[in-house]
Amino acid sequence: MKFKKSKRSAMELMMAPMIDCVFLLLIFFMVASQTRVPPRFPVELPDSLTRHAFPMKRFNLYIGREGLMSVDDNMMNGYDDLEIFLAKNKKNIETLIIKADRLALHGYVIDAMERAKRAGIEELAIGVKEGGGTGISVD
């Protein structure tokens, strides 16, 4: 007795659902990722025991030990450049968070705060490391 062999058709992969899944994953990772770049110089923040939340529309001003300044990923050449940049973007800035290195001179921070006020920035904050603290108190 001879049996007839059936032809097997080639298995097809449905590509449309796979492409939909890939695009959904791509959109998810684009929305979930942050694109802010830290400055090119190291900034070690001082310690603090308190915590305060800020609104989402904020800009970070980084001040390095040698006085280098950066607003998020935009390097500043000096205080004049900082003031011009802040004046141009003051509509977008709700809070300017100043993150100065713990060994940066106090004058750098004060000059930056003064330029921000002159540029029309109303809300200023000082960034610190959370959970630290040296136990030093001033009476």
Side-chain angles (χ1 to χ4, degrees):
M1 187 182 222
K2 197 172 185 182
F3 292 104
K4 192 175 188 181
K5 290 185 181 179
S6 64
K7 288 187 177 181
R8 291 188 181 189
S9 62
M11 190 172 182
E12 289 187 31
L13 215 61
M14 299 296 287
M15 291 301 290
M18 191 181 308
I19 292 172
D20 290 343
C21 289
V22 168
F23 280 125
L24 285 174
L25 285 172
L26 178 67
I27 291 170
F28 171 76
F29 286 115
M30 286 175 57
V31 170
S33 68
Q34 291 184 351
T35 58
R36 295 213 171 176
V37 179
R40 296 182 199 134
F41 49 89
V43 175
E44 184 180 340
L45 298 175
D47 298 328
S48 173
L49 295 174
T50 60
R51 181 183 174 111
H52 182 72
F54 293 101
M56 289 305 292
K57 288 175 82 176
R58 63 179 189 227
F59 281 60
N60 294 307
L61 169 62
Y62 296 97
I63 300 175
R65 292 180 183 176
E66 298 83 23
L68 294 172
M69 289 182 294
S70 170
V71 177
D72 292 328
D73 57 347
N74 300 313
M75 286 296 293
M76 300 292 135
N77 293 325
Y79 293 108
D80 293 331
D81 286 347
L82 174 65
E83 188 173 350
I84 292 168
F85 179 83
L86 294 175
K88 284 182 184 177
N89 294 300
K90 74 178 178 181
K91 291 180 182 177
N92 298 329
I93 301 174
E94 277 187 29
T95 303
L96 179 67
I97 301 174
I98 299 173
K99 295 183 176 182
D101 192 277
R102 68 182 331 168
L103 299 177
L105 295 178
H106 183 67
Y108 297 150
V109 178
I110 297 300
D111 289 342
M113 291 173 78
E114 185 64 33
R115 293 297 181 113
K117 286 291 185 180
R118 283 187 1 197
I121 306 300
E122 297 295 325
E123 296 289 326
L124 295 176
I126 304 292
V128 293
K129 251 191 306 187
E130 296 177 17
T134 58
I136 299 172
S137 63
V138 179
D139 294 324

